């Protein structure tokens, strides 16, 4: 097991009706800015719950943080927040609203342009932020990471901000999500786990078990979560799984990969394809191309999650990679680039960006431009 | 899934050589009291590492917090701490030293007698505390609980204090532990998980999987951890399992039991038998007597942890309870009260205390004096 430091101070407030706790959770003297995406929180009742809970409190609203939040939009929020002397941020939305709000939290205490914070990769000072989660997928509600896009240049990069002070997770708010969003959320959750699990075997038995615990849960509940009438318990498992998949708890003392994510970010930046949908494609290429490097864990993954035990090792790995792809197809997502009309032109641009940036991602640092091309070609 | 709030702010600093980080972890202006148990930290090198790391810093030492820490000893530490104007506590030891230090942390800011805090069940204000863990068992290094004894009256009760600011876990410090201490630590860890897992089935698939993940890990590594030359990875799994077994992470949204612990505390209070050793006995009585109530989870536990699948449900439950007892015997611990010379006299006194206190423990609140008697009789 590798040395590690784990420190996640976010308070998780989970369950039905928990939005009503907002006034107790936000210090009374704070000047709050509430950040939103589009209008879905108005139709599903979340906006009303939030505003009712904060009646009599001092807040301004900022609307319009888009999917794949852009620095262009966030600059406007930062300007408004500075003008209004905001010192507490409440993100009401999914991963995009929360990620964007992490940049606002840093930007409010920064004199330069917010894109500089993204390029530097780390926020120095931030105002406190909290969240009311409305889409389970990115885990941003209980981690310090955020991914910001710059539309002008079609770039999309992660940076490290601050952990939310608290996050309210009410599974009932997920009922009204379109099925495709649930599918992308389940895909994102599953791949978050694979990025921390499908690496070198034998690093931590316990972390392996916890990662597998999320994979088991997500694969078991996925059909019910995508049904016409998912029940509360199913949505609870989905919501909790998504949060625990990327809140530092399953990466204690183990190596991580993230090459699939970095390639997926480029596909989103270039095509606008939803993050979870890019992962459902790219992960299959990653497993095919890095099959030897991930051999031990692929065998373990196949046996423990998909029950694949018979045959030679090569056959078991083949079946495991097929079972993995079948899972993403069962979510109703594409697993091939060609299904999304993505081909050589995009592959060439991703390769160019990896080479220009001198990027080497993945557990072994061997996913460079040429390897990214091979991975994408393997999921054409 | 039940509503819940999870909030564990302890920073976990895990791995070889991490004690050297102490000066960066403790704010420079603090007047520190370091608390110890007996002298084992002097023979295993931990004391030297701590003192070397804190060279030039302002600290006093308090020695002699005993196993099952007593309010009688802790009153002396509180008096010394007040006299020395201590405002930071560093517990260097196992669960007893840490539990005791949680009471010191509360007692330093309390005017009355410290036993009042224990009886009230909750500390109001505390000075910050941190830990260097030397025995993995209780999980106290990453939770807010503590159990304090009063020798004068042979009483032993839990109270809720504060989470450590940070805890340093270096698996190398576990090499020098006597095998019986490792066995009791593994027993304590295992039963912590069972108290949060062997309740009502179907509450959370994910929490079930995480609990089972610790049970798998502990049962797999136990023989190696008890061997003459356990390696670093094995001790890492043991240390991490013990911490994650009782740091709130596996109890999100699920019911808990704790009747076995409450009965075990009485056995320790009356006989001085080590906590983990009492649990290795009492848990078997609990499972026999509450067999119907725990039916669904016993079947799941048997199948997923011990691979018990054939036969009727009654046979599977019989075999599961037997496998559970065999595990504790494999640690070299007694699983019957009679092996420790404990009999009717103690059972009568435990029953009397439960009745006198009006205690009703367990998931269903049905473990009263009469039920405690049945449980103890079932492990004679």
């Amino acid at each position: 097991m590798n040395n590690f430091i784990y420190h996640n101070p976010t308070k998780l407030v989970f369950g039905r009706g928990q939005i009503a706790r907002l006034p107790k959770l936000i210090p009374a003297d704070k000047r709050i800015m509430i950040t939103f995406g589009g209008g879905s929180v108005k139709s599903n009742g979340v906006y009303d719950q939030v505003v009712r809970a904060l009646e009599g409190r001092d807040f301004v609203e900022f609307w319009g943080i888009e999917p794949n939040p852009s620095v262009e939009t966030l600059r406007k929020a930062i300007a408004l927040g500075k003008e209004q002397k905001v010192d507490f941020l409440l993100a009401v939305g999914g991963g995009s609203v929360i990620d964007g709000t992490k940049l606002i939290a840093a930007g409010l205490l920064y004199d330069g342009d917010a894109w500089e914070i993204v390029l530097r990769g780390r926020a120095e000072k931030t105002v406190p932020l909290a969240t009311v989660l409305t889409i389970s997928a990115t885990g941003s509600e209980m981690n310090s990471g955020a991914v910001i896009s710059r539309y002008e240049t079609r770039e999309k990069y992660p940076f490290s901000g601050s952990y939310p002070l608290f996050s309210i997770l009410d599974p009932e708010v997920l009922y009204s999500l379109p099925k495709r969003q649930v599918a992308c959320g389940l895909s994102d959750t599953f791949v978050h786990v694979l990025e921390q699990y499908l690496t070198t075997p034998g690093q931590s038995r316990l972390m392996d078990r916890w990662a597998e615990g999320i994979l088991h849960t997500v694969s078991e509940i996925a059909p019910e979560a995508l049904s016409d009438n998912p029940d509360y318990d199913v949505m609870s498992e989905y919501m909790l799984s998504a949060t625990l998949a990327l809140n530092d708890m399953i990466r204690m003392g183990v190596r991580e990969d993230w090459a699939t994510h970095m390639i997926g970010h480029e596909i989103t930046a270039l095509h606008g394809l939803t993050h979870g949908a890019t992962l459902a494609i790219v992960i299959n290429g990653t497993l095919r191309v890095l099959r030897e490097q991930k051999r031990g864990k692929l065998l373990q993954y196949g046996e423990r999650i998909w029950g694949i035990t018979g045959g030679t090792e090569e056959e078991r790995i083949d079946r495991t990679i097929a079972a993995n792809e079948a899972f993403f197809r069962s979510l109703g997502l594409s697993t091939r680039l060609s299904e999304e009309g993505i081909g050589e032109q995009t592959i060439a641009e991703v390769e160019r960006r990896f080479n220009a940036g001198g990027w080497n991602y993945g557990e072994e640092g061997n996913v460079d431009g040429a390897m990214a091309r091979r991975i994408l070609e393997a999921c054409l």
Side-chain angles (χ1 to χ4, degrees), chain A:
Chain A
M1 204 180 290
N2 296 330
N3 283 11
F4 68 89
I5 293 177
Y6 168 92
H7 187 213
N8 190 329
T10 300
K11 179 185 286 192
L12 206 57
V13 183
F14 191 100
R16 284 192 180 96
Q18 298 282 34
I19 293 173
R21 287 182 186 264
L22 271 174
K24 286 189 185 162
L25 291 164
I26 303 177
D29 59 341
K30 293 295 182 187
R31 171 77 172 154
I32 306 162
M33 180 157 80
I34 313 180
T35 54
F36 300 97
S40 66
V41 292
K42 287 214 169 161
S43 53
N44 67 15
V46 172
Y47 175 79
D48 288 340
Q49 287 185 67
V50 168
V51 168
R52 199 178 315 129
L54 291 177
E55 204 181 315
R57 295 292 290 272
D58 187 21
F59 64 86
V60 293
E61 299 179 11
F62 181 85
W63 287 84
I65 300 180
E66 60 277 90
N68 308 305
S70 73
V71 70
E72 289 89 347
T73 298
L74 300 170
R75 283 181 189 128
K76 294 176 199 163
I78 292 166
L80 176 68
K82 283 181 174 175
E83 178 197 303
Q84 296 281 332
K85 302 196 187 310
V86 162
D87 60 0
F88 194 98
L89 294 165
L90 179 66
V92 178
S96 294
V97 174
I98 298 171
D99 279 12
T101 304
K102 286 179 183 171
L103 187 62
I104 301 170
L108 286 178
L109 301 179
Y110 185 72
D111 286 333
D113 178 60
W115 189 246
E116 295 167 16
I117 301 169
V118 177
L119 290 181
R120 196 179 301 134
R122 178 167 298 278
E124 304 218 329
K125 286 184 299 182
T126 59
V127 306
L129 70 96
T131 88
V132 174
L133 186 65
T134 62
I135 306 170
S136 282
T138 70
S140 189
E141 64 278 8
M142 201 176 180
N143 66 44
S144 60
V147 186
I148 307 296
S149 297
R150 188 178 172 196
Y151 290 171
E152 191 189 354
T153 52
R154 292 199 174 186
E155 291 173 288
K156 181 175 180 181
Y157 301 124
F159 84 101
S160 177
S162 56
Y163 288 84
L165 191 68
F166 64 82
S167 283
I168 296 179
L169 276 62
D170 179 347
E172 292 190 332
V173 310
L174 303 180
Y175 290 154
S176 61
L177 285 180
K179 281 186 192 176
R180 183 171 166 82
Q181 269 191 322
V182 174
C184 286
L186 292 166
S187 167
D188 200 8
T189 300
F190 207 84
V191 178
H192 285 159
V193 178
L194 294 182
E195 298 273 26
Q196 299 164 86
Y197 168 70
L198 272 178
T199 58
T200 308
Q203 298 179 90
S204 169
R205 292 167 190 262
L206 180 51
M207 288 294 104
D208 281 1
R209 294 284 184 185
W210 278 23
E212 288 156 359
I214 303 177
L215 298 177
H216 274 299
T217 302
V218 172
S219 61
E220 286 169 14
I221 60 143
E224 299 169 70
L226 291 167
S227 72
D228 288 330
N229 289 301
D231 75 9
Y232 181 80
D233 280 332
V234 164
M235 287 323 224
S236 300
E237 300 283 4
Y238 160 34
M239 197 165 217
L240 189 58
S241 293
T243 299
L244 303 194
L246 194 56
N247 72 345
D248 312 338
M249 287 184 187
I250 63 165
R251 73 174 193 188
M252 298 183 201
V254 299
R255 302 174 72 180
E256 301 171 66
D257 195 304
W258 299 108
T260 298
H261 265 70
M262 298 314 288
I263 296 171
H265 288 334
E266 295 306 316
I267 305 289
T268 300
L270 293 164
H271 284 269
L273 188 61
T274 304
H275 177 57
T278 68
L279 302 176
I281 296 170
V282 178
I283 185 68
N284 303 293
T286 302
L287 299 190
R288 286 186 199 105
V289 171
L290 298 179
R291 168 189 183 114
E292 279 312 309
Q293 186 178 307
K294 295 181 181 295
R295 161 177 288 271
K297 267 297 175 60
L298 279 167
L299 289 165
Q300 181 177 325
Y301 171 51
E303 179 174 346
R304 293 195 182 168
I305 304 302
W306 304 118
I308 294 167
T309 52
T312 66
E313 283 196 1
E314 298 314 315
E315 287 165 354
R316 286 161 57 195
I317 294 174
D318 286 342
R319 288 169 59 203
T320 299
I321 293 174
N324 182 75
E325 183 168 359
F327 168 70
F328 290 99
R329 293 205 81 80
S330 78
L331 301 179
L333 298 174
S334 304
T335 58
R336 300 284 168 163
L337 288 171
S338 48
E339 294 175 89
E340 298 291 335
I342 296 169
E344 169 56 29
Q345 198 181 345
T346 298
I347 295 175
E349 175 60 13
V350 173
E351 183 181 19
R352 190 195 67 73
R353 287 180 173 200
F354 268 65
N355 288 337
W359 298 343
N360 290 285
Y361 292 120
E363 182 197 8
E364 301 287 354
N366 60 352
V367 181
D368 55 9
M371 189 74 91
R373 165 177 283 281
R374 284 182 57 200
I375 288 171
L376 288 172
E377 285 176 347
C379 46
L380 263 172

